[in-house]
Amino acid sequence: MKHFNIVVPKDDGGVEMHPMKEWLRRHPQHLPSGLDATASTSHQLRNGLTKAGWEIQETANETRLILPGTLSGEHAIEAVLGGGCDSAPEESESTEASFGLEYQLRDFLADNLHATDVNGKKLKLYVDPAGRDGIEFPTAVGRIDILAIDEIGDFFVFELKRARSPDHAIGQLTRYMGWVQQTIGKGRKVNGVIVAKEVGESMRYAVSVVPNVMLFEYEVEFHLRLAHDLRNP
């Protein structure tokens, strides 16, 4: 089965991928005329985006669609498949389980904030007066992966990396923290949280001199449980 993904550039020079239909439902202004993000087939949407000038990159099991004028094909493939600013590639070759796409890590954390221990705080998604929640929260300096608050109203800005966390993640995080501190977070404490499959030594050194920033590595566990059939309840 072939997957259709939208490639989206990030402020730090990297990219992230989102399932095509989900992304188009969230951004209906990019839908080709006459098509529907739910009712139309993936191939119809792909063909419509191609006619609208989107660049297409094909692999054996994936179609990547790139918004016109945002990325060249060479850069898109390199950024998605590997390469980072740390001493090792951002995409680890480890066989350990990890989230395949960054949005999966984001959505899992957002759905489980209430059960996630972050420095002993109970967190929930921030919701602004207009009703926008803290998932991909828009700011003047980019979109925050997850914006949360604790029980006393202090902010937690999450920067998520599905594999190894590159050095430039700290610059991106502190930029978001600064925006929150100067706007919606005035008078409140603003904390930063970097979550990655692996945190390198250089990142640990960088964070050691930045106040209110925490590093977390996630683990994915997968278990099989025998399903009893009707003959053996």
Side-chain angles (χ1 to χ4, degrees):
M1 176 174 152
K2 200 157 193 177
H3 299 281
F4 293 79
N5 292 317
I6 299 290
V7 180
V8 180
K10 299 189 71 175
D11 294 336
D12 62 2
V15 298
E16 59 185 17
M17 292 197 297
H18 301 266
M20 178 179 64
K21 286 193 170 186
E22 176 188 311
W23 189 88
L24 288 172
R25 281 192 288 267
R26 293 184 178 183
H27 303 85
Q29 69 272 23
H30 291 291
L31 268 171
S33 177
L35 296 180
D36 181 88
T38 300
S40 300
T41 68
S42 295
H43 289 283
Q44 287 172 331
L45 292 169
R46 174 198 182 281
N47 293 338
L49 292 174
T50 301
K51 292 177 181 178
W54 287 57
E55 184 174 348
I56 308 294
Q57 294 291 330
E58 300 278 2
T59 69
N61 58 5
E62 181 184 26
T63 295
R64 301 180 184 130
L65 300 106
I66 305 163
L67 187 66
T70 57
L71 294 167
S72 68
E74 292 287 333
H75 176 73
I77 288 182
E78 180 181 353
V80 170
L81 296 183
C85 296
D86 219 335
S87 57
E90 182 176 352
E91 296 301 317
S92 170
E93 294 299 325
S94 169
T95 57
E96 295 181 13
S98 63
F99 288 92
L101 297 175
E102 209 160 283
Y103 84 90
Q104 294 174 321
L105 174 58
R106 180 202 67 206
D107 290 351
F108 178 84
L109 281 175
D111 290 341
N112 293 277
L113 269 180
H114 64 283
T116 302
D117 184 4
V118 179
N119 203 25
K121 301 290 186 178
K122 292 183 178 179
L123 304 183
K124 63 180 180 180
L125 285 176
Y126 171 72
V127 179
D128 73 4
R132 293 177 299 184
D133 66 28
I135 300 176
E136 290 289 306
F137 189 79
T139 77
V141 293
R143 290 183 177 271
I144 298 173
D145 287 335
I146 296 176
L147 183 60
I149 56 173
D150 64 14
E151 59 270 23
I152 62 173
D154 287 341
F155 282 90
F156 287 75
V157 177
F158 283 75
E159 177 64 21
L160 311 177
K161 300 297 179 186
R162 67 183 184 275
R164 188 180 180 89
S165 184
D167 283 351
H168 56 249
I170 187 65
Q172 186 174 6
L173 177 69
T174 53
R175 183 167 69 248
Y176 295 148
M177 291 173 65
W179 182 89
V180 172
Q181 187 72 80
Q182 296 299 318
T183 55
I184 59 177
K186 285 186 175 180
R188 304 185 192 180
K189 184 178 180 181
V190 179
N191 305 276
V193 182
I194 294 176
V195 180
K197 184 69 175 68
E198 181 183 352
V199 175
E201 184 178 13
S202 58
M203 173 61 73
R204 298 174 196 270
Y205 278 120
V207 168
S208 69
V209 295
V210 181
N212 303 331
V213 173
M214 295 163 278
L215 299 174
F216 288 89
E217 294 177 331
Y218 71 83
E219 295 180 352
V220 178
E221 294 186 3
F222 181 78
H223 301 281
L224 291 177
R225 178 174 57 84
L226 181 65
H228 297 289
D229 60 29
L230 294 176
R231 296 166 297 176
N232 298 289

